[in-house]
Amino acid sequence: MKIKALGAVGTVTGSCFRLEMAGGAKVLLDCGMFQGGRQTELRNFDARPYEPAALNALVLTHAHIDHSGLVPRLVKTGYGGPVFATPATCDLLKILWLDAAHIQEHEAVWKSRKNRRQGRRDVEPLFTEEDARRAMTRLTPLDFNVDREIVPGLILRLTPAGHILGAAGAHFTALENGRQVRVAFSGDLGRTSQFLMPPPAPLPPAETIFLETTYGNRRHKDLNVSVEELLAAIDSAWRGKGKIIIPAFAVERTQELLMVLARAWHEERLPRDLPVILDSPLAAAALGIYSDHRRLFDQDSQTFLNQWTDGEILPTLRLTKNAEESQALNGIPGSALIIAGSGMANAGRILHHLKHNLWRPNCHVVFVGFQAQGTTGRRLVEGGKMVKIFREAVRVEARIHTIGGFSGHADQAELLAWLGCQIKPGLTVNLVHGEPASTRDFHDLAQAAFPEASFHIPQWLGYAALSGDKDPPDLKAETSPEVPAVNQALSASFLNRLDRLRDRAPAAGTLPPDQLALLEKYLEQAESLLLTGSIV
Ligand code: ZN
């Protein structure tokens, strides 16, 4: 067997590995969307490395878009086999793929309109709602801890990984030339104590492991401290009659927050007259799926929930039904807690709430998740005094809180502890799914802690190290084979400067619109030349 890394190496997005069996069968583990920066996102449009028509099976560890988001694209470009995932993951995918398709279609319309004004071609969406619905017909549920032969000679077992509802680690056993090959993927690994999910289970024995390293160089704050910080911020806003605004991811983070608030309500630590408003159709749909799969929660959460009827769990919870109800929230007097997406405040309904409240000193904005570079969320947590929302500058007078303990990923200590249960002499470990600094730090730490195992960092489109390899691939700089490294570096700094220019020019009014359009056209041509070698 050989395993090729098609994503989530040198980055945390685009998770995808291809198992290539000696007999010729090919199986994909995860097929995630690349996110964060146009250069990275261009990879989403090139289906060739995935060889969709040549694949025999696809396995998904969990429903997050950076692990599953390219499946509709894969089906669109020729994949017709089964997609194995746990039943809860299958249910979540049905709403997440549709949501992703609508975003892709919307973006394509918006870009095409812009292009037409400049006499350029229309943009095709990455995939459409129809592609998403076709992908759903391929879903094949597989329960945790059940062995299933997914292609002749290859047995799959999914094990609980914590992280989010339905998330799994994937263990493969292959029989090749009379020899057993066992390979295990951690998937995204949850924390030892999370709010809803039990801790990740150890994987069955394997000679080769793939381990995520999102937080390979960081430790999380204590969970209980984070809850206290959240309740203190809520209390302070409530006393000042201000709004509490929480940008939150629709799956897991929102449901965890509601669980924390429900417990606080029953412990009489949440104001009785404070409305809690979930203003996200996607998060509300996910809430229903969480409720359907409650038996996957940890025992403590199940015991708590089983005491109440649905309406009693958090009596002050309200779900908005449509955009009108969402807009009406701007007019409600007094204090209210509003949870809305997106989690990084770069799109979605949260932008309206921020625009209407950021300038109010009695408003509190609480960030409970990672904020990527370039997002409105990142500018706020870094203390920006002015942010642009819908092309309008908004002064920041609100109190901004960053609460770090709500992560769904194991931190450095938890990764090491989990690995410690799997370690044996001769084990080969591939470190993936991390920013380069995080993965490298964890590599050095883990190699020193477990000298009996060998640690490797695969490169993008390269082959991973497998136990028994005579000449394992090793630490190499990540370069794309299609684009020379010098162009990659050049274009990265070029794209950053272009983004800064785009941000500044219209606000300052330094350029008339026609000149700005001309400048954009030249810059895009230069960008295309750098990235693809030709002007599109
Ligand atoms: Zn994930």
Side-chain angles (χ1 to χ4, degrees):
M1 187 192 289
K2 293 201 293 182
I3 298 179
K4 193 169 190 175
L6 300 178
V9 284
T11 170
V12 294
T13 66
S15 264
C16 189
F17 297 90
R18 188 170 61 223
L19 284 67
E20 302 174 358
M21 297 181 65
K26 289 179 179 173
V27 173
L28 222 52
L29 179 87
D30 284 341
C31 191
M33 201 182 278
F34 287 99
Q35 293 161 318
R38 267 174 299 154
Q39 192 190 6
T40 311
E41 287 173 12
L42 276 177
R43 293 179 187 175
N44 292 327
F45 285 87
D46 187 1
R48 286 169 303 175
Y50 300 89
E51 300 180 20
L55 295 170
N56 301 85
L58 169 58
V59 177
L60 297 179
T61 58
H62 64 291
H64 274 152
I65 285 299
D66 62 318
H67 289 256
S68 71
L70 282 188
V71 178
R73 173 84 180 168
L74 202 70
V75 171
K76 180 184 182 173
T77 49
Y79 178 65
V83 178
F84 294 98
T86 63
T89 297
C90 291
D91 285 349
L92 287 171
L93 285 171
K94 288 172 196 162
I95 59 168
L96 290 176
W97 280 345
L98 279 185
D99 183 67
H102 293 152
I103 293 172
Q104 295 301 331
E105 288 178 1
H106 183 82
E107 262 180 26
V109 168
W110 184 79
K111 282 183 189 156
S112 297
R113 209 180 290 149
K114 191 173 145 208
N115 278 6
R116 256 177 251 160
R117 283 198 293 269
Q118 298 167 0
R120 292 159 65 204
R121 284 196 310 230
D122 277 3
V123 174
E124 188 201 348
L126 190 59
F127 55 86
T128 61
E129 181 182 330
E130 197 192 326
D131 300 321
R133 292 197 186 278
R134 274 179 59 211
M136 287 176 207
T137 66
R138 314 309 316 166
L139 287 170
T140 310
L142 179 63
D143 275 317
F144 284 126
N145 300 317
V146 173
D147 287 343
R148 172 92 171 247
E149 190 170 26
I150 57 168
V151 296
L154 184 70
I155 291 163
L156 165 70
R157 188 191 296 186
L158 299 172
T159 57
H163 187 55
I164 69 166
L165 187 79
H171 182 275
F172 294 93
T173 308
L175 262 183
E176 292 191 324
N177 310 321
R179 188 175 140 245
Q180 195 183 47
V181 181
R182 297 185 298 183
V183 180
F185 292 80
S186 70
D188 281 5
L189 210 56
R191 306 194 59 189
T192 32
S193 64
Q194 254 178 268
F195 289 110
L196 288 172
M197 292 300 134
L203 286 162
E207 285 68 48
T208 303
I209 288 181
F210 287 71
L211 176 63
E212 69 122 320
T213 53
T214 316
Y215 289 98
N217 59 355
R218 271 180 288 171
R219 298 228 175 168
H220 295 316
K221 274 198 222 166
D222 183 79
L223 217 52
N224 295 322
V225 173
S226 298
V227 172
E228 295 309 315
E229 283 175 5
L230 173 69
L231 295 180
I234 292 172
D235 192 59
S236 173
W238 178 73
R239 285 174 195 281
K241 298 189 167 43
K243 303 279 188 296
I244 304 116
I245 299 192
I246 309 185
F249 299 95
V251 174
E252 191 74 16
R253 196 62 42 86
T254 293
Q255 291 76 27
E256 287 184 344
L257 266 174
L258 292 175
M259 185 68 170
V260 169
L261 295 173
R263 284 178 184 269
W265 198 90
H266 287 281
E267 289 162 4
E268 303 195 6
R269 301 183 66 204
L270 199 66
R272 304 320 252 184
D273 56 351
L274 176 74
V276 173
I277 299 155
L278 179 57
D279 186 26
S280 160
L282 185 63
L287 190 60
I289 295 172
Y290 267 70
S291 182
D292 293 344
H293 294 273
R294 202 185 271 183
R295 63 179 183 84
L296 297 176
F297 294 180
D298 60 42
Q299 203 49 56
D300 192 42
S301 300
Q302 291 191 47
T303 308
F304 172 78
L305 292 169
N306 289 342
Q307 298 173 70
W308 322 105
T309 62
D310 281 359
E312 289 170 345
I313 293 172
L314 178 56
T316 44
L317 177 65
R318 242 180 69 197
L319 313 183
T320 52
K321 290 187 196 71
N322 48 43
E324 289 73 51
E325 275 193 33
S326 169
Q327 277 156 21
L329 295 177
N330 298 322
I332 58 170
S335 191
L337 189 156
I338 301 171
I339 302 172
S342 72
M344 297 192 200
N346 49 343
R349 292 184 179 180
I350 194 71
L351 290 177
H352 292 280
H353 301 306
L354 289 174
K355 187 178 154 191
H356 281 92
N357 288 287
L358 271 179
W359 56 276
R360 300 174 200 266
N362 65 349
C363 167
H364 290 243
V365 182
V366 183
F367 287 96
V368 290
F370 179 75
Q371 304 298 310
Q373 207 103 41
T375 58
T376 305
R378 181 66 163 253
R379 276 195 284 283
L380 287 171
V381 301
E382 285 180 346
K385 287 290 153 217
M386 204 66 123
V387 290
K388 220 192 305 169
I389 298 177
F390 301 128
R391 294 190 164 260
E392 202 179 293
V394 181
R395 199 173 73 248
V396 182
E397 293 287 335
R399 285 275 310 277
I400 308 293
H401 308 260
T402 309
I403 298 184
F406 283 79
S407 176
H409 284 272
D411 70 2
Q412 188 187 64
E414 291 165 326
L415 287 172
L416 271 182
W418 182 87
L419 192 56
C421 302
Q422 319 276 341
I423 281 295
K424 58 183 179 182
L427 180 75
T428 295
V429 185
N430 289 281
L431 300 173
V432 299
H433 199 288
E435 298 293 343
S438 175
T439 308
R440 235 173 279 134
D441 282 5
F442 191 79
H443 173 276
D444 296 349
L445 188 74
Q447 188 63 79
F450 307 112
E452 64 275 47
S454 66
F455 291 82
H456 305 269
I457 303 177
Q459 58 166 332
W460 185 50
L461 300 182
Y463 282 97
L466 290 189
S467 181
D469 278 355
K470 279 187 219 75
D471 186 21
D474 217 329
L475 269 170
K476 280 175 196 153
E478 182 209 327
T479 51
S480 154
E482 285 112 42
V483 185
V486 61
N487 274 11
Q488 283 208 358
L490 205 69
S491 57
S493 93
F494 173 83
L495 292 179
N496 284 340
R497 270 183 290 167
L498 172 59
D499 282 339
R500 281 208 301 277
L501 190 67
R502 279 198 179 113
D503 257 13
R504 273 203 318 255
T510 46
L511 282 177
D514 56 331
Q515 284 189 29
L516 190 69
L518 198 64
L519 180 67
E520 288 240 4
K521 186 178 153 200
Y522 290 147
L523 289 172
E524 280 185 19
Q525 285 181 353
E527 175 190 338
S528 157
L529 193 63
L530 279 167
L531 292 176
T532 64
S534 65
I535 293 177
V536 181

